[in-house]
Amino acid sequence: MSKRKRYLIAGNWKMNISSSDARELVVDIAGKVGKVPKVDVLICPPFTSIPEVKNSLSSLAGAESIFLGAQNFYPEKNGAYTGEISAIMLRELGVSHVIIGHSERRTLFGEDDGLLNKKVLYALGTNLIPILCVGETFEQRKNGREVQVIAGQLKSGLRGIFQTEAKKLVIAYEPVWAIGTGETAVPEVVQKMHLSIRELLRELFGPKTAASIKILYGGSMKADNCKSLLQENDIDGGLIGGASLQATSFADIIKIANELSE
Ligand code: PEP
């Protein structure tokens, strides 16, 4: 089966793996993955482990398609923003992607759609690829509001983006009830949501751009459930939390994505 675009398999380490453990994990992942010419891999460590991951990747042969991402940043150039990290600082460290609006940022840190929109625009302006996360809660799905909730998050998060910039976007659909719970959404349900996201992107940016934007699924994706998800037409990869912390499980997902591309 041949997909219309390269899969992106992204690992979100969250607040795990300190810099002293990062090299071992990266080397282990790269060793287990081997050559995967048809998949883009992204590792998003905590800020303090970014330099170690960067150094490890530069010393590994065959790690060219492993990219470095961050889990957050603050959308200002510099200044009195105690505790924050700027996009320029991330770019300097070789970071190419940044996760924006993960449900943990929305709920635990009160990040609202206005701030997330500012982050998406700022990331694009500084050549960071934004991975905008959207997702409904269990309650919202139970009340049949999931499509409306996701559309609202997307319209706010993507406000003011020009069509020419939009093709650099990555969207991650992460139903909140499936994150870190072991509860994975069934492939047909995910595909239905991805299709409605694609339709909205079409309305916002036109068919060609919408078709080129990667829409990842996130929520307890593992080696044993990723194949059926990745086979769906509008699922262009995964944003993986728990399973990205173990080299074997993350490498297995990457290898499955590579096989599906052949
Ligand atoms: C995530 O944090 O983005 C995520 C999808 O986590 P998990 O894979 O552990 O559900």
Side-chain angles (χ1 to χ4, degrees):
M1 179 198 164
S2 167
K3 294 283 286 191
R4 70 207 123 57
K5 59 179 87 73
R6 285 168 76 84
Y7 286 110
L8 173 61
I9 303 295
N12 174 13
W13 288 1
K14 309 193 185 188
M15 199 172 73
N16 298 294
I17 316 293
S18 64
S19 67
S20 56
D21 295 325
R23 170 172 286 271
E24 193 183 330
L25 181 54
V26 171
V27 171
D28 208 5
I29 291 168
K32 288 191 161 70
V33 165
K35 276 202 180 310
V36 283
K38 300 200 166 101
V39 178
D40 288 331
V41 178
L42 177 68
I43 296 177
C44 303
F47 291 134
T48 52
S49 299
I50 288 176
E52 191 56 44
V53 173
K54 163 93 178 139
N55 291 340
S56 309
L57 290 176
S58 352
S59 64
L60 286 171
E64 299 79 21
S65 57
I66 306 185
F67 298 95
L68 187 55
Q71 300 171 21
N72 188 28
F73 76 107
Y74 194 70
E76 291 292 343
K77 191 170 169 213
N78 61 284
Y81 302 101
T82 302
E84 295 296 334
I85 303 278
S86 77
I88 318 276
M89 291 169 183
L90 295 175
R91 292 290 299 143
E92 251 179 37
L93 293 178
V95 167
S96 55
H97 295 63
V98 65
I99 299 172
I100 295 175
H102 189 283
S103 70
E104 287 150 20
R105 301 284 332 158
R106 290 178 190 259
T107 54
L108 300 175
F109 302 99
E111 296 198 2
D112 61 18
D113 285 330
L115 175 64
L116 299 178
N117 177 236
K118 195 170 171 194
K119 288 188 178 192
V120 173
L121 291 167
Y122 204 96
L124 289 168
T126 42
N127 268 333
L128 276 177
I129 297 174
I131 302 179
L132 176 64
C133 301
V134 293
E136 83 284 0
T137 61
F138 180 71
E139 203 62 20
Q140 289 164 333
R141 180 166 278 271
K142 208 174 72 187
N143 295 330
R145 294 185 53 235
E146 68 275 13
V147 172
Q148 191 191 331
V149 167
I150 302 303
Q153 290 175 351
L154 283 172
K155 281 183 191 159
S156 317
L158 302 178
R159 190 166 292 143
I161 294 173
F162 295 116
Q163 192 180 359
T164 44
E165 290 280 278
K167 56 176 178 298
K168 297 181 201 152
L169 290 168
V170 176
I171 306 294
Y173 169 56
E174 300 206 302
V176 178
W177 47 271
I179 298 178
T181 59
E183 196 74 45
T184 318
V186 291
E188 296 75 23
V189 169
V190 180
Q191 166 58 25
K192 200 167 155 215
M193 182 59 85
H194 280 219
L195 192 57
S196 85
I197 293 174
R198 186 89 62 205
E199 271 157 17
L200 182 67
L201 294 173
R202 218 173 276 152
E203 275 169 40
L204 294 174
F205 306 117
K208 202 165 157 220
T209 304
S212 71
I213 295 175
K214 286 183 185 168
I215 308 175
L216 314 183
Y217 167 74
S220 301
M221 193 189 258
K222 307 211 164 15
D224 61 7
N225 62 24
C226 70
K227 187 169 177 186
S228 52
L229 286 158
L230 293 171
Q231 274 173 328
E232 294 288 346
N233 211 37
D234 288 280
I235 303 180
D236 305 312
L239 180 54
I240 295 142
S244 72
L245 299 175
Q246 279 139 17
T248 308
S249 52
F250 194 51
D252 283 350
I253 297 172
I254 297 164
K255 286 192 281 189
I256 290 168
N258 196 58
E259 279 161 28
L260 286 172
S261 308
E262 284 170 349

